[in-house]
Amino acid sequence: MNAIAKAIDAINELFGRIIAPLIAIITLIVLYDIASRFLFGRPSDWAFDVTKMLFGAHFMLMAAYGLRHHVHVEVDVLKRLLSRKKQALIEVLGYLIFFVPFIWMLITYGWRFFERSFSRGETTYGMVSIPVYPIKGVIIVAAVLILLQAIAIVLRAIMQLREEESV
């Protein structure tokens, strides 16, 4: 189980480190658009749509990386007062009852969302028609990565429960 959890961690770590620099590209595009407005009195035709889509992709794809590093918001005021065994039990139940079904819905509906966009050849409404379906496909990729990280967390919690039982 530990090998599976470590492999999932490695996948999300690699993916996060690859995606993180995307924020610099987004910043450069925004700066270009600002310079275009200031110097030429006119914004670019494509920058707003591109930055909006790239920021959405960045936000979604970094979620699993954030979950891996525990940087998400977690209300653990009562949880940290409990024993490690009870904390692990709450983690297993919480992920299995609340988190995994939500992510499964995100994958299911995200796929339908992507599929409909792809089949229609959906594009943005601006002067430059940019395909939208790739960014909608990111929803599925992000949800799968988050689901994998949740599996790693649950596996670690199960290992913690087994370790507590053997003591």
Side-chain angles (χ1 to χ4, degrees):
M1 275 198 277
N2 194 35
I4 294 169
K6 282 184 176 182
I8 292 170
D9 285 347
I11 289 167
N12 281 322
E13 185 70 30
L14 177 67
F15 215 86
R17 289 183 183 271
I18 290 170
I19 296 300
L22 185 61
I23 200 74
I25 295 168
I26 295 167
T27 303
L28 290 174
I29 293 170
V30 169
L31 290 174
Y32 167 80
D33 199 35
I34 290 168
S36 178
R37 287 173 193 256
F38 182 72
L39 297 174
F40 308 119
R42 173 170 195 278
S44 66
D45 295 332
W46 54 270
F48 178 73
D49 289 333
V50 169
T51 55
K52 187 171 55 171
M53 290 195 302
L54 288 177
F55 185 73
H58 185 267
F59 177 80
M60 288 186 292
L61 291 171
M62 290 300 289
Y65 180 83
L67 187 59
R68 185 225 178 300
H69 289 283
H70 305 287
V71 296
H72 57 286
V73 175
E74 185 176 306
V75 182
D76 63 348
V77 176
L78 298 176
K79 186 174 137 183
R80 65 186 154 142
L81 299 174
L82 301 173
S83 68
R84 291 175 59 110
K85 181 180 179 179
K86 288 180 182 175
Q87 286 179 9
L89 186 62
I90 286 173
E91 200 147 269
V92 169
L93 292 175
Y95 273 92
L96 292 179
I97 294 170
F98 299 109
F99 195 84
V100 171
F102 171 76
I103 294 298
W104 187 253
M105 282 181 26
L106 186 60
I107 291 169
T108 303
Y109 288 106
W111 177 257
R112 292 178 192 165
F113 196 50
F114 164 76
E115 193 175 40
R116 184 174 50 240
S117 177
F118 183 78
S119 68
R120 294 178 181 170
E122 185 179 7
T123 60
T124 58
Y125 296 109
M127 295 278 289
V128 178
S129 295
I130 302 168
V132 176
Y133 60 85
I135 200 68
K136 291 185 178 181
V138 166
I139 295 169
I140 300 147
V141 173
V144 168
L145 290 172
I146 294 168
L147 179 61
L148 286 172
Q149 194 60 47
I151 290 168
I153 291 168
V154 168
L155 288 175
R156 282 200 180 85
I158 290 169
M159 288 186 298
Q160 178 70 38
L161 286 171
R162 286 183 178 173
E163 188 178 295
E164 292 291 325
E165 286 176 2
S166 66
V167 173

